[in-house]
Amino acid sequence: MNEPNLLREQFPYETPPLIAFDGVDVPMSRPADIFITDTTFRDGQQARPPYTVDQIVALFDLLHRLSGPRGVIRQTEFFLYSEKDRQAVRACQERGYAFPEITAWIRAVANDFQLVKAMGIRETGILTSCSDYHIHLKLGLNRERAMAQYVSVVESALSEGIRPRCHLEDVTRADVYGFVVPFVQRLVTLSEESGIPVKVRLCDTMGYGVSYPGATLPRSVPRLLHTLRTETGIASAQLEWHGHNDFYKVLTNAATAWLYGCSGVNGTLLGFGERTGNTPIEGLLFEYMGLTGDTSVDTRIVTEIADYFERELGYAIPPMTPFVGRSFNVTAAGIHADGVIKNEEIYNIFDTAKLLDRPLGVLVTDKAGAAGVAHWVNRRLGLAGDARIDKRHPGIAAMYDWVVAQYEDGRTTSLSDDELLGAARRHLPEWFPPA
Ligand SMILES: CC(C)C(=O)C(=O)O
């Protein structure tokens, strides 16, 4: 085809992209082995100021610990462009960890394969963009020429004994039968001939993927995986999903990819990545544990990672970010605080103290009610069960009246621990003697 097919019926551009259904569903097919791969140092680093070598090594150590004994975080990829990139790889290699395996990301040119080989890396990612938006509009090629170029690059990698990982950029906007299937068929043949299983990473570059099995190609993640597996015979172990969050679907699409036949799902720490970001590794971990029941991972390391980003990298994590934000398990509503006092499970997603070193919190504002104040006091005093001070205690009521008074002049921020401590000393002197 010399003219691009931009799939205008789904991607009109002047209006939001459309999600079409055709009444056909595809079955789930979850692989026995599912795992996470990481791109914190590639896609993640494209979206923020570069990390220093020491920072890369510190994050690599954390990723290794988070991988656990089973290597849940199986691989992580590195640029090899500059001397600094290579220094970081060497420093991480010196750690000698089995997981995550270090892989590369290179330009598709012969010299770069030698570099990969010289550095003792066995797998590298290469860009094989597959929509006509890329083939025609960006690269100025047609499909035949693009396919020929990609295949020749894959052959060069194989001839160096390197496992290529073809990144099907923009696959959710590609002509699946017109380009993706024939290309992957070719990769399956090359894998068989060489004895090296070529990997295929499905890149939802613009976040257009949807998790609905009944939606049409190329947007349906289930349909994409089903089509590739049945039309090309590629094994689940060779398939990997890489998503972006432009339509808020990044974690759901990733989990869907696991359920429909992808062994690997790619993500980054805290979801850093181009524009709206990639799938956050933290989210993937809890999804993985939910799907497999595997408890070999020490999830408290997630909190160490969040602390590292805030403390060492100066990144202010948005407070409502699941699992890592300051407020992810903090309630400010009095009615919720009331429930929490009766039993914290009512308003906590799981035992966040045990799994994340983050006990459930109650923020005190005028909306916290006497229950919220009582919760703060009991937490501060370490009182549990029958030993807790009741919300009807006159000192709690007086403290709550003081709290409400703070908001009468339009205050909009929550009260700090120091402010509450001052009030507790005044109204509950038997429990909080003056300093
Ligand atoms: C550059 C490519 C491989 C990518 O990360 C994407 O398509 O999201």
Side-chain angles (χ1 to χ4, degrees), residues 42-43 105 127 167 169-170 203-205 242 244:
R42 202 270 303 166
D43 208 328
W105 165 262
L127 194 56
H167 291 223
E169 188 177 23
D170 211 18
C203 298
D204 183 16
T205 306
H242 169 97
H244 283 263

Side-chain angles (χ1 to χ4, degrees), residues 93-134:
Q93 284 174 324
E94 276 164 21
R95 294 297 213 243
Y97 301 143
F99 300 114
E101 177 192 348
I102 293 172
T103 73
W105 165 262
I106 57 163
R107 291 162 299 205
V109 294
N111 280 351
D112 280 9
F113 289 120
Q114 267 135 41
L115 188 59
V116 175
K117 202 169 167 185
M119 295 202 64
I121 297 176
R122 297 198 327 240
E123 176 174 315
T124 189
I126 46 185
L127 194 56
T128 53
S129 313
C130 62
S131 73
D132 282 351
Y133 288 83
H134 287 255

